[in-house]
Amino acid sequence: MNQGSEASARRARRNVILTAAIAGLGGLLFGYDTGIIASALLFIKTDFALGSFEQGLVVAAVPIGAIGGAAIAGPAADTYGRRLMILLAAAVFIVGALGSAAAQDLTVLVIARIVIGIAIGLASAAAPVYISEVAPPESRGRLVSFFQLAVTIGILVAYLVGLAFNGIEGWRWMLGLGCVPALALGFGMLRMPQSPRWLVMTGDDFKARAVLAKIRVDDPDTIDQELEEIEQSLDEKPGAWSELLQPVVKAALVVGVGLAILQQVTGINTVIYYAPTIVEFTGVNSSAGSILAAVGVGIINVAATLVALRLLDIKGRRALLMVGVSGMVVSLIALGAAFIGGGGSTLSSVVAIASLMAYVAAFAISLGPIFWLLNAEIYPLNVRSKAAGIGTMANWTFNFIVSLTFLLLIELLGRPGAFWFYAAIGIVTLWFCWKYVPETKGKHLEDIQAFFQARVEGKDPDPDPESGSFEPSGG
Ligand code: BGC
């Protein structure tokens, strides 16, 4: 490569990384809200004199709104574009964050939190798809996972903001500060291009070519080839809902919706939402100790996600899933064991806290980023945003169900039993990943469709790329 083309390759890489990073900020909204509500609720419940049902409403409003937001984002991202949905998410989030910070009673607070949920649903359905469509195949795993990285950073920042405003009981500040990432997302996205794949789908090949010229190495052959592949994969305009019932889409939905549900029912949010409570179960009864443990969980979550970002495009999605989910199962078994006989000894506290950390790290290198990644890359273009919206809705629905039932499950099965229950689901997850999840590392989005086509035709493609039966067709 001569100096000029090296410089343009660098520029192209910079453009695509910037685009992915800005869209990834959508994850910050999601993470910040997930992490902030526990701290804010401590004070809201006293100010508004809330019972436990009303507290549940304040928390549940967001996942309920998110299910709606993801449902809207699917078809709307086909009609109006992925970029506009992300912009809309930022604007709606700002309205919700300001509304909840200013709320004078429970009704306004719950409505404002439903609005926040709608924004999060829009962002979590549209942002990963947008990134997957601008990213080149060889770094798509890393770039789409910026979204999950932003989720984990949002959770950590929220724990820290919660700590900072704890002293002044500043729940309005905690909720209102959510505007900051939303503003960054909004202003950032204003400068970002449309998805080239969406442009082709709407018939604007001219603009699609201009976007590709900006975000790909300045090599006309690469651009022509990519445009051609997109066009070939797109024999129709945006598909109707009924097209989700085509066998090839159904086969992909089994993987996307399956992972959406398994990501939640293996219990991650019991740790994210209840880390301080779980640490208190172990016998640590200073609030500083449990908050510190929550911050520790937040830091490990970010650090392990950074590791995943490096490995996804090298080791592949399947290898990380198998290793990570196995790690989750082992640490859940250990976590349950630490509570046998009520826990309480120093040894059991140490085992419990260590297994909590190991569990979060194992999730963060596997199900955390990989669900969002596969949900953005496995569907055919003409139904991609609708199908991704369905995966996102399933994820939020089970997020809601697990958070609601965790304490009940403990009452029913006891602490060891509850964590072993999640471990058992982890074993089912391992089987599911091994049997159904294809390796998509380095593949063009268009080639991934060919894999599912072969699967429904009964050609039973080997999901493992090393076998050679699922090879990329170009570059
Ligand atoms: C999940 C969230 C979870 C977060 C933790 C995401 O991938 O969808 O439910 O809170 O990871 O990092």
Side-chain angles (χ1 to χ4, degrees), residues 278-286 339 342-345 349:
I278 299 177
V279 172
E280 273 171 16
F281 289 166
T282 72
V284 175
N285 55 11
S286 78
F339 292 116
S345 69
S349 301

Side-chain angles (χ1 to χ4, degrees), residues 30 148 151-152 155 263-264 269 272 301 363 368 372 395 399:
F30 172 174
Q148 173 71 11
V151 171
T152 62
I155 294 174
Q263 193 210 40
Q264 293 299 321
N269 284 312
I272 299 294
N301 198 8
F363 171 86
W372 293 107
N395 189 260
N399 184 329

Side-chain angles (χ1 to χ4, degrees), residues 234-462:
L234 194 77
D235 39 7
E236 292 151 65
K237 293 285 162 215
W241 285 105
S242 58
E243 286 186 30
L244 293 172
L245 298 175
Q246 285 172 352
V248 64
V249 183
K250 275 204 283 192
L253 274 171
V254 166
V255 175
V257 173
L259 282 177
I261 297 172
L262 293 169
Q263 193 210 40
Q264 293 299 321
V265 294
T266 38
I268 184 61
N269 284 312
T270 65
V271 174
I272 299 294
Y273 299 145
Y274 297 101
T277 316
I278 299 177
V279 172
E280 273 171 16
F281 289 166
T282 72
V284 175
N285 55 11
S286 78
S287 64
S290 18
I291 291 178
L292 215 67
V295 173
V297 164
I299 292 175
I300 289 195
N301 198 8
V302 174
T305 307
L306 282 168
V307 173
L309 247 59
R310 288 205 66 79
L311 296 181
L312 272 165
D313 292 314
I314 302 172
K315 301 283 178 211
R317 287 61 160 155
R318 274 173 68 85
L320 281 180
L321 274 175
M322 299 316 281
V323 171
V325 178
S326 305
M328 288 168 69
V329 170
V330 173
S331 31
L332 282 168
I333 294 174
L335 186 59
F339 292 116
I340 292 176
S345 69
T346 314
L347 177 67
S348 63
S349 301
V350 171
V351 172
I353 293 174
S355 20
L356 209 63
M357 305 283 183
Y359 168 77
V360 170
F363 171 86
I365 60 158
S366 59
L367 282 177
I370 296 174
F371 156 63
W372 293 107
L373 172 57
L374 285 165
N375 193 50
E377 63 182 11
I378 57 177
Y379 308 113
L381 177 54
N382 64 330
V383 291
R384 183 170 299 143
S385 70
K386 285 197 189 80
I390 290 179
T392 309
M393 281 166 70
N395 189 260
W396 278 106
T397 307
F398 282 83
N399 184 329
F400 172 62
I401 294 174
V402 171
S403 340
L404 213 64
T405 51
F406 172 56
L407 295 177
L408 237 95
L409 198 70
I410 289 191
E411 260 175 44
L412 203 73
L413 301 179
R415 287 166 193 165
F419 292 114
W420 290 341
F421 175 75
Y422 295 126
I425 301 180
I427 294 172
V428 175
T429 307
L430 269 177
W431 165 81
F432 179 87
C433 293
W434 174 75
K435 187 160 168 55
Y436 289 106
V437 176
E439 184 52 78
T440 53
K441 176 184 87 175
K443 308 283 180 282
H444 277 254
L445 291 175
E446 289 66 32
D447 291 316
I448 299 173
Q449 294 173 37
F451 168 86
F452 283 105
Q453 189 61 45
R455 179 173 276 180
V456 297
E457 283 168 9
K459 292 192 188 136
D460 208 16
D462 189 329

